[in-house]
Structure formats: structure tokens, C-alpha cells
Amino acid sequence: MSKVRKRKVLTGTLSKHRQGFGFVSCDELERDVFVSAGSMKGAMNGDEVEVDLIPEYLWKDSPEGIITKILNRKTREVVGTFQKSKKFGFVVPESRKSFDDVFVRKKDFSGAQRGDKVVVQITKYPDRYNSAEGRITEIISRNGQPGGDIKALARTYDMRETFPSRANAEAKAMKKQGIRKEDLDGRKDLRGKKIFTIDGADSRDFDDAVSIEILDNGNYLLGVHIADVAHYVAEGGPLDKEALKRGTSVYLIDQVIPMLPKALSNDICSLNPGADRLTLSVDMEVSPECEVVRHEIYESVICSAERLVYDDVSDLLENDDKELSRRYAHIKEELLLMNELAVKLRKKREEQGSLDFDLDEACIVLDERGIPERIELSDRRSANKLIEEFMLLANQTVAEHFYWMEMPFIYRVHEKPAADKIEQLKIFLRSFGINLKGSGDSVHPKAISSVLDQVKGQSCENVVSSVTLRSMQKAFYSTMCDGHFGLSMKYYCHFTSPIRRYPDLMIHRIIKLVINDEMSMKLIKHFRKKAEEAAEQSSVMERKAVELEREVEKLKKAEYMTYHIGEKFDAVISGVTHYGIYAELDNTIEGLIRVDDLWDDYYDYYGEKYALIGRNTNKVYKLGDRIEIIVDDVSRERREISFIIADSR
């Protein structure tokens, strides 16, 4: 009797494509398993499934299989746009990672109308023949309501602006309580000093203020004063639990999903001008050579003299604006002194190899209906750089101080790039005639900084900077002080933004206990565990927030380009793949030119040259080349923009 070959059954997570097929990632295999649309067995994106591999001789390019069992459903609800008919409707998912429409019976409309952004709860999962079914449980926004599209997208990431009632109640109680006489006990009173904030024009929460003076010995005394949020957010309370869950505030063009309720973030914790506020201060005595020769960390109370705006301060520093000079005459000397120090700090940091990825960033301006009316480049001007330098110095000083105290702490870690990524980067840079010094496993930040300097002002600057940045590791939070490669710093933490970042709030608690001599062995053990939890959760939520911010930006860029279909633009080639060319406009909007739309020749992809080359014409499209494009098509739902070459029609 011949043996029956036992087929291999694996388990893994399904990633589904919009066209119905998908891939299952399994720990046992290096390559993902392809599953055709007809072999899904009703599985949805993200489900944990059992997949039966078909015989190897039937594979095309990679392992192929059939889903035989759904082990764990990951989708409980779907956020999307409601499409309604008389007797039934469908919810079309908002997320680009979810491609399964949900059928809704008339009795489950819950008052939703066509085009509304809704949440639908799954009541029946799909099978081989039928879509998922559900009932609408929440109407996020009505059709056409300004900002509704951004709110819906945020909801797909389970991010909400509203807070649980207990957290709100605690925040309101803290706001009502205000600053009591006993809150000032043991604090250094800085209300008589010239201290002020410098932020963006649209900022509503101010968690850092600065001060400066020249000492008799010629050194600078730089003060960085940070909102004492830990004074108001009790550890383990409703506010603290919700802040840890959120991990970070999320900034979505004209909307904010805050880490803390507005009663704290915009009021009692915010360093508003003319208001007494509790702070945690770092005084740093800095020599003319930019060495911190002495520092002190202490609890304080301040009253901000001014709420300054980046553009105003920059105009004063860069252009000696007369009107602004008169308006801020009482602090102009301090501003000039700050700029003098900031320039020196920046120069020293650059000499040490600190990387400055001065990438173009989009400033998306929405009208009152939430429609993008223009997209421009954001400016990093003198005032922005000034505050950046002071916050970096404070973060570094605090991190080093607590590293040597061997206290539980949360550090900001940026590991050196992986050796294979650096080798790939070296090959890429050679195509621009640039030699990156150092081997894959021993490259120094200075070598990468030198590359960025070489391309400054060139048409390829943004492309080279982007590719170089992508070769870097992602920064994260850790209880281990493993250094920050990008900043070329051995000690670094996030201390300066406790209103919008949980790690800052956590280390403030530790700092306050230490400087008040209240840290016991029991508390050390407690905070080691809490710091680990906070570092892991905050790293996860930061990645989630960055992904959402990018998706919202793509959404609004796609919407903006729907008004420019058929128009010509200058662009630079920002990516080359076997399926086409990515081109970026001067305002950072990126679109794809499909290789099928290059009609003048058949183009081959040369990965090592980052180029497409025509077989007959030898025409080359490579990274960094400037081209003229026409906007061909836009999908706002998929957040995709298609271009064609202007001279190929």
C-alpha cells in the first residue's frame, strides 16, 4: 500500500489585499504563504488562521496555501463610510488594511445616513459566500461634516479625543483646585525672573519655558522650566491609567488627540503667560565652549512673561524686525543671548556627528470645511532651532545625571544601523558619486553627517536624506541607557514634554522623589517595573501615532490633488521599483508613475542602479532626476495619487 503524503498545516496571521487575496506570516517559514481570494474561508485581515500548504510543485513564486480554520478573530468592529439603499446598506472600511465591507440590515442602521462615518459592530463573520454582517453602534460624523474624515481615520486606530468620565472628573478637580499655598512649599520661586515660552502659532499647550543670563565668569546660565504635570496626575489614578494607555498626544493637522484632558493640558499644567505655574527646572551653567560645567534640577514655580511665536522670534533674530523689537524690548537682550548660545550648541553638536535630517515637511492648510486649500513647506527657522537645542541639552543633562545615580529611568534609545542596511546605503550613495566611510557594522554618525553635508542644496538632497533616514533604526523608549546614534549622544531621555508624552511624565515622578530624598528601596523596585511597562507601551503607541499622522497627511494630500487632475508639475524621482517610479512634487506630495504608463519604450528595472532603463532608447529614469509630470488620477479612499510623464502623452 502506498503511503499517503501528510500535508503541512501551519498557523499564522493573515494580511489581506484589497483585491481579495492575502498572505499568512508563519514563524515556521521565512516567506509568507500566499492565499488566493477563493481560499480565504471567510477570514478577515489580521485574523489568526490555520493554513494548509498545497503541494510544492503547484506553487508559483512562493509558498501557497488554503485557509482551513480561523483560530482567532481580531476584528470586532469596523470604522468606515455608510453606503445606504432602501432595505440594506454596507459599511466600506476607512482603513487601508481592511478590505471587507460589512453588510447592515435596515433595522441596524441606527439613524445613519448615506455618507456618514460610522462604527459597525460585527454580528456575523463572513464565510466563503457571504459578507460580514453588523449593526451600527456609533455615528462619528455626518456626511460632509468638517473634520469627520480625520476623526474616522483616528477611530480606526482606536484613538478618541474624549476621555472616560472618571479621568475627566479628576482633571476638572485638579483644575478647580489650582495652586494652593502648600503646593509652593520647598519650591524655588522664579516668578521674578524673565521666563517665557516660544511655540508654534497654533499651539494650545505650553509645557516648556526658557530663561538665560550671563554670569560674572562669562558663562551662560540657561534655565529650562518644564510643566510639573506629575504634581497633578496621581500615579495609578484614572488620569494616569488613561495617559499610559494613550502614551502620547497625536497631532492631526488641525485636530489633536491629547494624552491628557484640556483641563490639564490647556489650563492648569500649561505655562500660560501671566499665570503662576508649578514647574520642574533644570539650570545649566554652560561655558562659551558649550560644556555644561554645573547643573541643578529642582522644583519651582514660574510666571511666564510672554507667549512667543516661532515666526515672530525668527523675524526678530533674522531680520531685526523693528515693530517686534519694540514689542519685545523688555526681553530682546535675552532672545539675542539665547540665539548666540543656540548657534554655538548646534555647531558643537554637528562637529560631534549629530545627524540633522533637514527633510522637507508639509504644512497642510485646511479651510473651514476641512478641505485642503494649500500645501506648503514647513519652515525650521532660527527660533525653532533655538528651542530644539535647549531641549536637547536639557534632555541630555537629565539623562546623564540619573544614569550615574543608577535610578530606575526611561531613556530614549536609537541603536546604530544594521550592517546590511549600511551596505545597501553605500551602494545607493555610490550611484550619486558619494563614498560613505566605514564598514557596515562600524559606521560613525560623523560619516553619515558628512554625506548629508555633501548633498545640501542639491536637487538630490531630499532623496538622499530620505533614503539615508530609512536605513536608520527607529528610536524607542527603554530602561537601558544604550545611547542615541542619530544625536551622537551617550545619554539621552525625553524630559521636556510631560503634557504630551508619558515617558516624560514617568521620569518626572522619579526625579521628584529623588530630589526630595523620598526614594526608598521599595519604590526603586516598584519604579523599575513601572518604567519597563511605560517604556514598552509608549514605544508601541508612538509608532501607532506616527502611522496615523502619516495616513491623515496622505488623505489630505490625495484630497488636495483631486482639484489638480490634468495639471503639470515639476517633480523629482523619489523612488524606483520594478512596477514604476515614485515622483515627489516640491511641496512633498508624492505619486506613482506606473511602468505600464511609460509608453515610449519597454523599461527594465535595475535595482543596484535605482533606475528604470529603456531597452530600445536607453532612456534612464533614476533616483534624484527632475522630471515634469501630469496628475493622472487620484483615489482619496486608497490615499493614492497617479502621475504620468508630461511628454509621454
Side-chain angles (χ1 to χ4, degrees), residues 436-484:
L436 173 60
K437 295 178 182 177
S439 60
D441 56 358
S442 65
V443 71
H444 192 276
K446 272 189 179 180
I448 296 173
S449 182
S450 172
V451 167
L452 300 177
D453 285 341
Q454 288 180 58
V455 296
K456 258 196 184 358
Q458 297 185 29
S459 62
C460 64
E461 179 181 359
N462 228 41
V463 169
V464 170
S465 295
S466 296
V467 173
T468 304
L469 180 59
R470 287 199 293 270
S471 71
M472 300 290 105
Q473 303 274 29
K474 286 184 170 61
F476 59 95
Y477 296 106
S478 173
T479 55
M480 303 298 291
C481 186
D482 290 333
H484 198 293

Side-chain angles (χ1 to χ4, degrees), residues 177-194:
Q177 175 183 293
I179 298 177
R180 304 164 301 179
K181 186 178 178 182
E182 56 265 37
D183 294 333
L184 304 182
D185 292 345
R187 288 181 182 269
K188 193 177 285 191
D189 192 341
L190 305 179
R191 286 175 288 188
K193 287 184 70 114
K194 288 184 184 177

